[in-house]
Amino acid sequence: AQSVTQPDIHITVSEGASLELRCNYSYGATPYLFWYVQSPGQGLQLLLKYFSGDTLVQGIKGFEAEFKRSQSSFNLRKPSVHWSDAAEYFCAVADYKLSFGAGTTVTVRA
Amino acid sequence: EAGVAQSPRYKIIEKRQSVAFWCNPISGHATLYWYQQILGQGPKLLIQFQNNGVVDDSQLPKDRFSAERLKGVDSTLKIQPAKLEDSAVYLCASSSPGQAAYEQYFGPGTRLTVT
């Protein structure tokens, strides 16, 4: 069965610093992979997705993610974090349905 | 384009009471999903509708949870009777058919507290 692991429960980063969130998946075939962001009191918003092709995908809000089949990873990155990026981030894998990781909470300090 | 609408946003009930949540998906989206998100966890799919038919309800606790999507548009999720462990955020999402089905658009959720 498909599954997703997000090893980091909570990350604190300074404003302007770079951010990387880890995601490891377990899936037998070529995965469809996603990153969602959830701000407090809000629903989930799709940041980016990977279906096939170029392994480096660009998303909204300056985020990017890199698919590495050899490592079963789909890590999310942002070069320079803004205070508004404080939120919870979920990685997800799909075959016939989405399976989400437990999420990583990002705190941005001034 | 209007997003996914949900109501109420918050609900507090006592255990053994009943509660209902409403969802209006994005216009034209044939697929509708209900998720349960317990604090500290990712969303878990409860039920998926394609138009007004159920595609997957394998994770729905059918002894107490029910859902319907009359006319293939709005949907209602009901819990009767509620238990303490039902305290969670209930998210509704919708999507278009085909590959775009994976691009789900989420509503703001209903936060349920069972006391």
Side-chain angles (χ1 to χ4, degrees):
Chain A
Q2 62 193 34
S3 65
V4 171
T5 302
Q6 294 181 246
D8 304 304
I9 296 174
H10 188 206
I11 287 180
T12 299
V13 60
S14 298
E15 192 169 16
S18 63
L19 174 69
E20 181 167 11
L21 304 181
R22 296 184 291 165
C23 172
N24 295 101
Y25 67 89
S26 173
Y27 185 64
T30 300
Y32 290 175
L33 294 161
F34 306 80
W35 275 99
Y36 282 84
V37 60
Q38 186 175 34
S39 298
Q42 302 298 314
L44 281 75
Q45 181 182 22
L46 180 64
L47 283 176
L48 49 77
K49 61 185 183 288
Y50 172 78
F51 286 172
S52 64
D54 193 347
T55 57
L56 184 64
V57 295
Q58 303 296 320
I60 62 171
K61 304 185 180 187
F63 285 92
E64 66 179 25
E66 186 171 13
F67 170 63
K68 292 185 177 180
R69 184 185 299 277
S70 61
Q71 299 177 18
S72 297
S73 69
F74 188 57
N75 294 349
L76 182 71
R77 299 193 293 254
K78 185 169 184 177
S80 178
V81 168
H82 187 261
W83 64 265
S84 60
D85 294 322
E88 192 158 18
Y89 293 78
F90 293 93
C91 183
V93 62
D95 51 16
Y96 66 96
K97 67 176 182 180
L98 280 179
S99 294
F100 288 86
T104 299
T105 300
V106 173
T107 299
V108 180
R109 60 186 174 211
Chain B
E1 174 183 81
V4 177
Q6 290 187 247
S7 68
R9 292 294 309 277
Y10 305 92
K11 191 73 176 179
I12 301 174
I13 61 172
E14 295 181 350
K15 60 183 179 185
R16 291 187 289 274
Q17 287 187 323
S18 63
V19 64
F21 313 129
W22 173 83
C23 173
N24 182 242
I26 291 173
S27 178
H29 280 191
T31 310
L32 185 146
Y33 313 80
W34 283 103
Y35 289 86
Q36 180 191 59
Q37 186 179 16
I38 293 173
L39 186 65
Q41 299 180 20
K44 181 186 79 171
L45 180 67
L46 291 175
I47 188 168
Q48 176 182 343
F49 291 95
Q50 180 76 18
N51 296 309
N52 59 354
V54 175
V55 173
D56 181 358
D57 64 356
S58 58
Q59 298 296 305
L60 188 73
K62 299 180 185 63
D63 58 332
R64 297 183 301 106
F65 286 64
S66 65
E68 60 182 8
R69 190 182 184 197
L70 300 176
K71 301 180 182 179
V73 182
D74 293 8
S75 177
T76 302
L77 177 69
K78 297 179 181 178
I79 307 175
Q80 182 178 10
K83 293 185 175 181
L84 296 177
E85 58 261 35
D86 298 332
S87 294
V89 175
Y90 291 85
L91 295 165
C92 180
S94 68
S95 67
S96 299
Q99 189 179 61
Y102 296 115
E103 299 187 34
Q104 298 181 20
Y105 294 82
F106 285 80
T110 297
R111 182 176 297 276
L112 173 67
T113 302
V114 182
T115 63

